[in-house]
Amino acid sequence: RIRALSALGDWPAAAVASGQALESARSDTELWGLLARAEAALGNHAKAHLAMAEIHTMNGVWIAANEQLQAAQRTRQLAFYASSKVDARLRELRAIFLQEREDRRSGR
């Protein structure tokens, strides 16, 4: 359904449907991708970057996830609370990245 809405260019409906589907399938990277595409088409670039960050996080690509979160903040489309959540997520991802890098260096 989401792919059909996207193909028709009904981006508002595609974004809503993607968000609803993600309520029960938070780890579905394809749904996150569809949401990112719909939000970008709607001009909601911050939301598109946040969706892409989720994909990268699930795939363990911490640097790309970090870059997407920073890009979301640079859009200045986030309200204060959302921006604070992104700040917290950035700190969390940096800690994970640094821990994994340390583990690799020490052979763990």
Side-chain angles (χ1 to χ4, degrees):
R1 176 174 170 240
I2 300 164
R3 281 190 221 94
L5 291 167
S6 297
L8 292 171
D10 190 351
W11 301 114
V16 169
S18 297
Q20 290 171 340
L22 282 165
E23 289 176 11
S24 61
R26 301 289 301 167
S27 62
D28 188 326
T29 57
E30 183 179 356
L31 284 175
W32 282 107
L34 291 168
L35 177 62
R37 183 172 177 219
E39 293 293 1
L42 291 168
N44 299 328
H45 301 292
K47 289 181 180 181
H49 287 299
L50 294 174
M52 290 304 299
E54 288 300 322
I55 293 169
H56 294 309
T57 299
M58 284 182 259
N59 291 327
V61 186
W62 311 117
I63 293 173
N66 186 57
E67 289 170 355
Q68 289 295 317
L69 291 171
Q70 288 176 340
Q73 288 193 314
R74 283 192 303 270
T75 66
R76 306 222 185 268
Q77 292 178 331
L78 299 173
F80 176 77
Y81 180 72
S83 183
S84 296
K85 286 177 62 174
V86 171
D87 285 340
R89 188 71 164 143
L90 278 165
R91 285 190 299 277
E92 178 184 353
L93 290 180
R94 284 184 187 131
I96 292 168
F97 171 74
L98 293 172
Q99 183 62 50
E100 283 190 1
R101 187 172 67 180
E102 180 62 31
D103 289 348
R104 281 193 301 275
R105 285 183 181 166
S106 64
R108 285 186 240 159

